[in-house]
């Protein structure tokens, strides 16, 4: 829901202005639609299954090198400013950072967090004292996320005449998720307006940081703007939620990179990319070879002509995990394989296989798996190989669990 990506209702002038000077990826996917696992993939260049992180509260193992560790070892000052407790330092992402700032002021919400205004202010203070040499700065914002509660005046910049019950609170959203209420179109529109208000609020307070990075002492930095996951702001399949499915709204994300140097690329590119590509891309900008095992690729280098297949997995529902107690907890959940324009979705716990042509059907409304069986089987073979090559942390199900997979309708 950004202006630079064509959202008609956006008020995101700062990100849009930044995008004018940068390369905007139109086909960028996250690896998973939950906060910790997605960020862990960005910071290590590995898929969550290889890390053994199926969702929040599963810490990163200490033997996997992180972006901050590698940069710090090569003379970079490093700092992180995170804005929700899912990324607290005991989850393993603090390794390698000289400063890992996790001061959360808000606690009566889904999880402890802080507002964008406070996060930007803290990051700017650090940057003013540390911009005289190479640095790695990670600034994480949490505002566009449930509950949908942008502070004034951003709570009324859209739909200020609304008078109904849809206040974006966790209490209201939980009633919605449990089908305890029947929202009107105006109620649903109000929730989208509140979410857009959060994005507008974030953009407003991201502006000073982007401006600071344009000053002469930092203008040569590589700057990337992305998201860990998206949000289902539609009726399908679960309203105003993320985690259960790998449809586009919760797994496709913005990715905008301003590469350093004169004549840097800008505009829109249709290259297929993933957020874990940030790991080798940032290391490459620093002249550091990526650690062995990275699944990402350096986006500063030509992509080549070989079509790329990318994968992602869902993090919910949690109540299906007990079907596979010995294996990686996300095995029964939805999994995605994309070789654009084709996207295969296998949702094991629903016994469901879907194939979409995203070029013709970007809203994923027409499942053509039964018609395009060879293509579906080919993508499934790649998905199976991806699972099998994940390593010991993503322990594959034993023979008994494989039988359960077959009983669920998993394609063989």
């Amino acid at each position: 829901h950004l202006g630079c990506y064509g959202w008609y209702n956006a008020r995101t002038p700062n990100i849009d202005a930044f995008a004018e000077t940068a390369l905007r990826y139109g086909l960028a996917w996250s690896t998973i639609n939950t906060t910790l696992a997605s960020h862990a993939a960005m910071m290590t260049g590995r898929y969550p299954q290889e890390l053994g992180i199926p969702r929040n509260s599963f810490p990163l193992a200490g033997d996997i090198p992180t972006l901050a560790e590698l940069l710090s070892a090569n003379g970079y000052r490093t700092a992180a400013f995170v804005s929700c407790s899912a990324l607290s330092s005991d989850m393993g992402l603090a390794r390698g950072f000289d400063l890992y700032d996790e001061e959360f002021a808000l606690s009566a919400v889904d999880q402890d967090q802080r507002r964008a205004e406070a996060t930007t202010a803290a990051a700017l203070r650090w940057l003013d004292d540390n911009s005289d040499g190479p640095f790695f700065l990670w600034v994480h914002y949490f505002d566009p996320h449930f509950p949908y509660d942008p502070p004034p005046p951003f709570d009324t910049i859209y739909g200020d005449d609304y008078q109904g019950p849809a206040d974006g609170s966790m209490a209201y959203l939980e009633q919605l998720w449990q089908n305890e209420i029947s929202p009107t179109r105006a109620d649903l529109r109000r929730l989208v307006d509140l979410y857009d208000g959060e994005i507008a609020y974030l953009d407003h307070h991201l502006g000073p940081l982007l401006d600071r990075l344009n000053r002469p002492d930092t203008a040569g930095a590589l700057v990337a703007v992305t998201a860990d996951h998206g949000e289902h702001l539609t009726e399908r399949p679960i309203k105003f939620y993320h985690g259960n499915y790998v449809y586009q709204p919760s797994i496709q994300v913005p990715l905008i990179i301003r590469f350093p140097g004169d004549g840097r690329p800008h505009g829109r590119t249709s290259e297929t990319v993933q957020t874990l590509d940030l790991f080798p891309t940032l290391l490459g900008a620093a002249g550091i070879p990526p650690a062995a095992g990275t699944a990402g690729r350096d986006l500063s280098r030509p992509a080549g002509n070989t079509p790329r297949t990318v994968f992602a997995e869902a993090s919910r529902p949690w109540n299906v995990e007990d079907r596979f107690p010995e294996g990686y907890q996300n095995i029964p959940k939805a999994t995605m394989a994309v070789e654009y324009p084709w996207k295969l979705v296998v949702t094991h716990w629903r016994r469901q296989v879907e194939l979409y042509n995203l070029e013709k059907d970007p809203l994923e409304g027409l499942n053509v798996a039964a018609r395009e069986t060879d293509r579906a089987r080919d993508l499934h073979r790649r998905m199976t190989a991806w699972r099998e090559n994940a390593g010991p942390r993503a322990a594959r199900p034993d023979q008994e669990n494989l039988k359960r997979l077959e009983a669920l309708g998993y394609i063989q």
Side-chain angles (χ1 to χ4, degrees):
H1 281 204
L2 301 173
C4 59
Y5 278 91
W7 181 240
Y8 77 99
N9 214 21
R11 298 191 191 183
T12 52
N14 293 303
I15 294 176
D16 296 345
F18 169 74
E20 288 294 320
T21 70
L23 195 59
R24 186 176 73 258
Y25 294 86
L27 299 176
W29 281 270
S30 179
T31 56
I32 191 170
N33 43 24
T34 191
T35 300
L36 174 63
S38 178
H39 282 99
M42 291 187 222
M43 293 297 168
T44 63
R46 304 183 188 213
Y47 282 105
Q49 61 169 3
E50 186 178 352
L51 302 174
I53 304 179
R55 51 182 168 87
N56 294 344
S57 301
F58 286 73
L60 177 68
D63 61 334
I64 298 174
T66 68
L67 187 56
E69 286 180 308
L70 294 170
L71 290 169
S72 179
N74 283 271
Y76 277 69
R77 298 175 186 175
T78 57
F81 297 85
V82 299
S83 298
C84 78
S85 55
L87 298 174
S88 60
S89 54
D90 58 350
M91 290 295 103
L93 296 186
R95 296 201 320 268
F97 283 106
D98 303 325
L99 172 65
Y100 197 84
D101 187 304
E102 49 180 332
E103 295 184 11
F104 310 122
L106 303 177
S107 58
V109 287
D110 176 52
Q111 53 191 298
D112 292 350
Q113 60 181 271
R114 65 174 158 187
R115 296 286 195 188
E117 182 176 8
T119 301
T120 292
L124 287 174
R125 287 192 295 270
W126 183 88
L127 192 55
D128 284 339
D129 293 333
N130 292 276
S131 62
D132 58 345
F135 65 87
F136 170 49
L137 174 63
W138 171 30
V139 187
H140 164 261
Y141 297 95
F142 194 67
D143 300 275
H145 195 284
F146 52 68
Y148 309 141
D149 60 347
F154 297 93
D155 57 338
T156 56
I157 61 173
Y158 304 104
D160 59 351
D161 58 345
Y162 174 80
Q163 299 295 322
D167 58 1
S169 66
M170 292 304 298
Y172 182 86
L173 291 172
E174 285 168 358
Q175 287 182 298
L176 187 66
W177 299 333
Q178 298 299 324
N179 294 314
E180 295 174 357
I181 55 176
S182 298
T184 65
R185 286 189 174 273
D187 296 335
L188 298 176
R189 178 72 253 175
R190 176 56 177 164
L191 294 178
V192 176
D193 286 343
L194 289 170
Y195 190 79
D196 283 346
E198 290 191 320
I199 294 175
Y201 166 76
L202 166 64
D203 181 87
H204 179 75
H205 289 292
L206 183 58
L209 179 58
L210 294 174
D211 289 343
R212 175 65 181 80
L213 291 168
N214 286 328
R215 281 174 33 176
D217 60 334
T218 53
L222 185 153
V223 183
V225 175
T226 192
D228 54 349
H229 60 74
E231 188 84 327
H232 279 280
L233 299 177
T234 62
E235 302 258 2
R236 172 189 184 251
I238 296 181
K239 295 179 280 287
F240 307 97
Y241 201 64
H242 57 266
N244 281 46
Y245 301 96
V246 286
Y247 299 124
Q248 295 293 86
S250 74
I251 207 70
Q252 189 176 16
V253 294
L255 177 62
I256 311 167
I257 301 179
R258 188 179 75 187
F259 291 94
D262 297 331
R264 59 192 173 215
H266 64 279
R268 186 186 185 279
T269 175
S270 57
E271 178 185 349
T272 296
V273 297
Q274 273 196 292
T275 51
L276 53 69
D277 293 332
L278 286 170
F279 179 77
T281 300
L282 296 179
L283 289 178
I288 304 169
T294 178
R297 74 169 206 85
D298 185 344
L299 299 181
S300 69
R301 300 180 179 276
N305 297 321
T306 303
R308 184 180 183 186
T309 307
V310 297
F311 305 93
E313 61 191 75
S315 59
R316 298 172 185 254
W318 297 347
N319 62 351
V320 303
E321 294 174 351
D322 59 0
R323 295 181 181 177
F324 305 92
E326 298 87 7
Y328 179 60
Q329 292 196 359
N330 285 3
I331 284 176
K333 301 173 187 177
T335 308
M336 171 203 91
V338 173
E339 183 187 282
Y340 191 81
W342 298 101
K343 176 178 178 179
L344 179 74
V345 177
V346 179
T347 308
H348 313 306
W349 61 277
R350 298 183 76 186
R351 307 185 186 186
Q352 185 167 303
V353 177
E354 300 160 273
L355 182 71
Y356 299 104
N357 185 323
L358 295 177
E359 188 172 38
K360 297 179 179 179
D361 180 25
L363 298 181
E364 300 165 293
L366 179 62
N367 178 11
V368 296
R371 188 171 70 211
E372 297 279 352
T373 54
D374 289 345
R375 200 176 301 275
R377 287 193 185 101
D378 178 57
L379 280 173
H380 183 261
R381 280 193 293 270
R382 298 186 219 178
M383 182 185 290
T384 300
W386 172 70
R387 279 292 196 203
E388 290 177 346
N389 295 328
R393 290 185 178 86
R396 293 178 295 279
D398 59 21
Q399 290 303 310
E400 185 62 31
N401 280 334
L402 284 173
K403 292 178 182 177
R404 296 177 193 172
L405 277 171
E406 291 177 7
L408 285 170
Y410 185 75
I411 303 177
Q412 295 298 325

